[in-house]
Amino acid sequence: GNSVTQMEGPVTLSEEAFLTINCTYTATGYPSLFWYVQYPGEGLQLLLKATKADDKGSNKGFEATYRKETTSFHLEKGSVQVSDSAVYFCASNAGGTSYGKLTFGQGTILTVHP
Amino acid sequence: GAGVSQSPSNKVTEKGKDVELRCDPISGHTALYWYRQRLGQGLEFLIYFQGNSAPDKSGLPSDRFSAERTGESVSTLTIQRTQQEDSAVYLCASSPGQGWHTEAFFGQGTRLTVV
């Protein structure tokens, strides 16, 4: 079946540090991959996505590259800010019998200190 | 409407009572999802509607949970004989549903507290 595994948190960083949040997936076929973010007190919103192998999604300084060979979609940011403190969810959306259904990872809590 | 709307935003109910949660998706979105998020935990898939296809109910945790959707519009999630472990935020999302490249848009959720 389809599944998404994220690195366990919480992750605590100082401002301007480098961020990596690992995400790997298992899926039949070739899924689309997403990162969603949930800021404190807010709903989930799309951060970035990639729909085919070697695609790079980017937004707000965050990047993630769809790596088919390692079935990964790791989230990176070169210099985090306090305002990036949030919960980050990796997700896949595969075809086949699970057509259109989003499968989420467990989420990673990020806290950035000044 | 501008986005996915869920009501009520908060619901406190007594153990054993039935509750009904409502989701208004973005107009024209054929796909609709319900998820559950317990405090400090990830997203637990409950049910998925796609157009006129039979819904994917594989995530419903027990027969106390059910959901309906009329065409491509409103959906209701019903929890019968609520238990304390049902306390969570229930999230609804909708998607244009045209292939699996499209993102899902989430509502603000309904926070359910069973006392």
Side-chain angles (χ1 to χ4, degrees):
Chain A
N2 302 325
S3 66
V4 175
T5 303
Q6 285 182 239
M7 67 182 286
E8 292 189 15
V11 174
T12 303
L13 295 173
S14 297
E15 208 164 23
E16 299 183 3
F18 184 86
L19 169 71
T20 299
I21 301 177
N22 289 339
C23 171
T24 57
Y25 67 90
T26 60
T28 54
Y30 302 96
S32 292
L33 301 172
F34 306 83
W35 278 101
Y36 282 82
V37 59
Q38 186 176 33
Y39 296 106
E42 298 185 17
L44 270 83
Q45 56 187 277
L46 180 71
L47 179 60
L48 53 84
K49 71 177 185 181
T51 58
K52 62 182 187 296
D54 300 324
D55 266 3
K56 178 186 284 187
S58 61
N59 186 24
K60 299 182 180 181
F62 290 89
E63 291 184 340
T65 301
Y66 189 139
R67 301 286 187 202
K68 182 169 173 286
E69 63 276 14
T70 54
T71 62
S72 65
F73 193 54
H74 304 322
L75 183 69
E76 297 182 335
K77 186 172 185 181
S79 176
V80 293
Q81 305 300 311
V82 172
S83 57
D84 294 326
S85 298
V87 185
Y88 292 83
F89 294 92
C90 185
S92 74
N93 190 343
T97 58
S98 300
Y99 184 83
K101 186 177 89 176
L102 274 173
T103 300
F104 283 86
Q106 284 300 100
T108 302
I109 300 172
L110 170 66
T111 303
V112 181
H113 293 298
Chain B
V4 177
S5 177
Q6 291 188 246
S7 60
S9 54
N10 281 283
K11 176 72 177 178
V12 180
T13 189
E14 292 181 351
K15 179 181 172 181
K17 300 282 190 186
D18 297 352
V19 295
E20 194 171 274
L21 312 180
R22 177 186 170 106
C23 173
D24 283 272
I26 294 172
S27 177
H29 281 193
T30 60
L32 186 146
Y33 312 76
W34 283 99
Y35 292 88
R36 179 168 70 178
Q37 186 176 27
R38 290 199 171 104
L39 186 64
Q41 298 192 17
L43 291 170
E44 178 185 3
F45 166 76
L46 297 178
I47 190 168
Y48 168 62
F49 296 90
Q50 171 58 281
N52 294 319
S53 302
D56 178 349
K57 303 180 181 181
S58 60
L60 294 177
S62 76
D63 60 7
R64 295 187 296 106
F65 287 72
S66 63
E68 293 184 350
R69 187 183 187 194
T70 306
E72 295 180 357
S73 60
V74 171
S75 175
T76 55
L77 176 69
T78 302
I79 308 173
Q80 295 178 310
R81 305 181 301 282
T82 52
Q83 304 295 313
Q84 287 186 329
E85 64 261 28
D86 299 334
S87 296
V89 176
Y90 289 82
L91 292 169
C92 177
S94 72
S95 165
Q98 294 163 3
W100 56 88
H101 304 311
T102 53
E103 67 185 270
F105 296 80
F106 281 81
Q108 292 292 97
T110 294
R111 182 176 299 278
L112 176 65
T113 304
V114 181
V115 297

